Amino acid sequence: MHYLIAYYHVPPSLSEAQHAGTTCVWCGSPVGPDAVDLEYPGRRGCPDCYLARIRWLVTWYDWQQHVLDCTPCRQRRTCHVGRGRRVQHELTIAPAGKKPLSCAPCGRTVEAAELAMPVLVEGSAHSHLGYSHTHCVTERVTSR
């Protein structure tokens, strides 16, 4: 998890103080001795911001593993356990500074009442964690 956060969740543009490690790379507040070192020389994050990103990653992977193992989730049926894991993940989005759920295939916002699932989105440089309406994923698979 630390590797994922240190390499893929640090903002691309940082201030001089953030590069120097005197302020948090995420919130910009001064960091103390309890700051988390982020692999790059000098870059550090405050414990609150770092833990918010850990929670975001853990809940995303927990939800994804459930969907992979759950027949009702894969069949576009309502699953209360899957819904609960989605809600737990959604609670971590704002504290981690992430954008609300947006469907990777269609680009629309995923509304609370819509069935959705976590998906690994292939990018040009690397993959990233994303979301999809359940029907967008299944339509894409069945249309191939």
Side-chain angles (χ1 to χ4, degrees), residues 59 83 85-95 101 110 112:
T59 58
R83 176 71 179 157
R85 293 198 176 158
R86 173 184 169 177
V87 168
Q88 287 297 312
H89 177 68
E90 287 176 332
L91 292 172
T92 70
I93 291 173
L101 275 64
V110 177

Side-chain angles (χ1 to χ4, degrees), residues 7-90:
Y7 287 96
Y8 298 114
H9 294 269
V10 172
S13 58
L14 301 173
S15 70
E16 200 172 298
Q18 288 169 316
H19 272 292
T22 58
T23 61
C24 174
V25 295
W26 295 294
C27 71
S29 62
V31 293
D34 60 345
V36 179
D37 290 326
L38 297 172
E39 307 297 322
Y40 298 104
R43 293 187 187 174
R44 301 164 71 202
C46 69
D48 289 341
C49 288
Y50 183 77
L51 288 173
R53 278 142 188 86
I54 291 265
R55 288 182 191 105
W56 184 84
L57 283 169
V58 167
T59 58
W60 189 93
Y61 280 111
D62 184 51
W63 180 24
Q64 181 208 34
Q65 189 60 55
H66 172 78
V67 168
L68 293 173
D69 294 339
C70 177
T71 300
C73 283
R74 289 192 322 272
Q75 293 177 343
R76 296 173 44 186
R77 296 187 351 233
T78 300
C79 170
H80 297 294
V81 174
R83 176 71 179 157
R85 293 198 176 158
R86 173 184 169 177
V87 168
Q88 287 297 312
H89 177 68
E90 287 176 332

